[in-house]
Amino acid sequence: MKLAFVLLFVATSVIAQTIRNDASCDISVAPAATLLLPYFEVDLYEERSRARDTMFTVTNVSPVTQIAHVTIWTDLAYPLYTFDLVLTGYDVQAISMWELLKTGAIAAPRGYFQPPVGRRSFPNPRHGTGVRADCLELPASIPPSMLATIQETLTTGRIPDCGQNAVGKTHTNAIGYATIDVVATCSSLDPTDAQYYDGHLLFDNVLTGDWVTIRPDPIVGNYAAGSPLVHIRAIPEGSSSGGPRPTPLPRTFYELYAPLDAPRSDRRQPLPVNFAARYIEGGTSGFVTDFLIWRQPVKARPKCKHSIDNFSNTADVVRFDERENVNVRIPCGGFLCPPPHNDLPVTSRTSTFYTPIYPPLTSGDRGGWMYINATSSATATQSWVVTTMFAEGRYSVAFDAVALGNGCSPWPAVSATIGPAR
């Protein structure tokens, strides 16, 4: 009887350790402290009914008020603009990037103590003592002069504050990414500021969200697709901002920006490096596949000088067709393949058929999968990959690629054996 009790105790302990997954490095769609919109694209020159748009929502799944701090970044990881969303208990806010970047509209003005009529908002004990003053009257729109600068920067990559230093790439549409963090009060700080990690950033896993891209085009076709935002949990969660609790994570999402004397103080899960991403090209339905790839910046400070360094090469890409034939990118340079033939910014949308970083499909197959080690050959970088497929001018789908490891797995070496991380 005594032996049976001991065995039962051991079994119970093992089960408890197995299901206690709060400290997991696996990224899942679960309430989080940070949300990542890995890529947005907005056509600023078309009318609303024909403009490409990216929309995202942020939901507070807790009963108390939360502040979601949104940072808009260029495709070379320059923090361009921040704003706060005050979410009452169980609230949801939707943001149209076209409305934001074209007209400057952020959201309906709602201060910290101004819940919707008929709703009661429970105060958050983790919020700062000055939250009433900081968040009472939030701006409903971006000032016109600032809006013009944002539009120019997201399309030309130039900003007056940085002179001749490019902070983004040049493209017709406005392209970038966004991060959404749960914070203690409203401010204009961004994750590159050291003060952001001392008394500002919070660690409660209470946010969820999703995104959808809309592409109304009478010539190419009317497409729409969406997926969850990348949900990045705080480990350990809870405690007030700036608390002394360390994290067991070997690396973190914001570690590039965290103060040198407080490394990994963001306590956010790191993202993986290598992925398996499905593709389909051609066929009777005219399938087209694009990959949305976000990669951790290579350098963080100073922001103006080093943004261009975040346009770097992709370490390893291997294409498999449906009969396990393998194609790899052939190293080249000079006139035959001028650089940057395999370079990517921090965030991008690339075609698996037209973009040189992907090896060509040489067989008669129409599909397969791509192994992507999205890290830069200069340094290991976290990443995220989303597969988007389009067909017949009317069908589209988006879904996250399969991560072959998590952010705590050993960084895979270039030309390493392809397979799940060990």
Side-chain angles (χ1 to χ4, degrees):
M1 183 69 180
K2 185 175 181 181
L3 177 60
F5 175 80
V6 171
L7 292 175
L8 177 61
F9 175 79
V10 172
T12 304
S13 300
V14 171
I15 293 173
Q17 292 173 6
T18 302
I19 64 176
R20 186 183 176 91
N21 58 359
D22 288 349
S24 172
C25 289
D26 294 331
I27 300 296
S28 62
V29 182
T34 288
L35 303 173
L36 168 67
L37 172 63
Y39 177 86
F40 68 76
E41 184 171 354
V42 177
D43 187 346
L44 298 176
Y45 304 102
E46 276 286 359
E47 61 185 27
R48 184 72 179 92
S49 61
R50 296 184 56 177
R52 180 191 287 268
D53 189 12
T54 304
M55 305 176 68
F56 69 90
T57 61
V58 181
T59 302
N60 171 19
V61 297
S62 77
V64 301
T65 299
Q66 302 291 345
I67 302 170
H69 191 71
V70 183
T71 303
I72 304 299
W73 307 73
T74 69
D75 60 346
L76 290 182
Y78 183 89
L80 190 57
Y81 187 73
T82 66
F83 61 91
D84 292 289
L85 300 174
V86 174
L87 305 172
T88 56
Y90 310 123
D91 195 7
V92 60
Q93 288 268 9
I95 298 292
S96 161
M97 292 301 294
W98 188 91
E99 294 284 353
L100 178 72
L101 301 178
K102 179 67 174 181
T103 71
I106 298 175
R110 186 187 303 173
Y112 185 80
F113 294 101
Q114 297 174 351
V117 176
R119 287 277 306 279
R120 181 182 180 185
S121 182
F122 294 95
N124 191 329
R126 300 200 199 281
H127 285 171
T129 55
V131 68
R132 179 187 291 272
D134 295 339
C135 303
L136 185 58
E137 296 292 340
L138 296 178
S141 61
I142 303 173
S145 59
M146 174 60 72
L147 181 61
T149 298
I150 292 172
Q151 292 172 344
E152 181 178 1
T153 306
L154 289 175
T155 52
T156 69
R158 302 289 177 175
I159 189 170
D161 290 348
C162 292
Q164 296 302 311
N165 293 299
V167 298
K169 304 303 295 179
T170 301
H171 20 63
T172 302
N173 293 336
I175 292 175
Y177 66 96
T179 52
I180 304 102
D181 302 313
V182 62
V183 294
T185 191
C186 303
S187 77
S188 60
L189 295 175
D190 65 66
T192 67
D193 296 313
Q195 308 96 295
Y196 197 65
Y197 305 91
D198 183 13
H200 194 80
L201 201 61
L202 287 180
F203 310 96
D204 296 303
N205 296 315
V206 293
L207 301 180
T208 65
D210 53 77
W211 63 266
V212 60
T213 180
I214 301 172
R215 184 183 178 185
D217 190 321
I219 298 175
V220 177
N222 297 315
Y223 295 121
S227 190
L229 296 170
V230 186
H231 290 61
I232 303 170
R233 293 174 61 82
I235 297 174
E237 66 177 326
S239 81
S240 299
S241 181
R245 299 174 67 189
T247 180
L249 299 172
R251 56 184 71 95
T252 60
F253 179 70
Y254 281 134
E255 69 175 348
L256 189 66
Y257 303 114
L260 296 178
D261 59 350
R264 295 176 288 141
S265 53
D266 61 297
R267 305 199 323 232
R268 264 56 174 179
Q269 292 173 302
L271 298 184
V273 168
N274 52 337
F275 292 81
R278 280 274 292 128
Y279 70 87
I280 304 177
E281 294 176 5
T284 57
S285 297
F287 265 103
V288 177
T289 300
D290 290 348
F291 290 153
L292 311 180
I293 299 180
W294 180 92
R295 307 190 303 163
Q296 180 189 24
V298 176
K299 294 184 178 180
R301 302 181 184 89
K303 292 179 286 188
C304 289
K305 182 178 179 181
H306 284 309
S307 287
I308 195 62
D309 294 327
N310 293 324
F311 188 65
S312 57
N313 63 1
T314 303
D316 214 2
V317 180
V318 180
R319 185 193 291 264
F320 293 89
D321 67 14
E322 293 173 331
R323 288 173 289 177
E324 298 85 52
N325 293 311
V326 178
N327 282 287
V328 297
R329 186 179 58 233
I330 300 174
C332 56
F335 296 103
L336 295 178
C337 191
H341 69 280
N342 65 336
D343 286 5
L344 288 177
V346 172
T347 189
S348 61
R349 175 175 59 88
T350 51
S351 165
T352 62
F353 183 76
Y354 294 106
T355 308
I357 69 168
Y358 304 115
L361 180 60
T362 57
S363 70
D365 292 354
R366 296 299 185 183
W369 68 283
M370 207 90 69
Y371 168 75
I372 301 175
N373 178 354
T375 187
S376 164
S377 60
T379 182
T381 52
Q382 305 171 50
S383 54
W384 196 259
V385 179
V386 179
T387 297
T388 61
M389 295 180 177
F390 313 88
E392 296 185 0
R394 51 182 173 167
Y395 302 119
S396 63
V397 65
F399 52 91
D400 294 330
V402 175
L404 297 179
N406 60 36
C408 297
S409 302
W411 297 121
V414 176
S415 302
T417 301
I418 295 173
R422 301 296 180 186

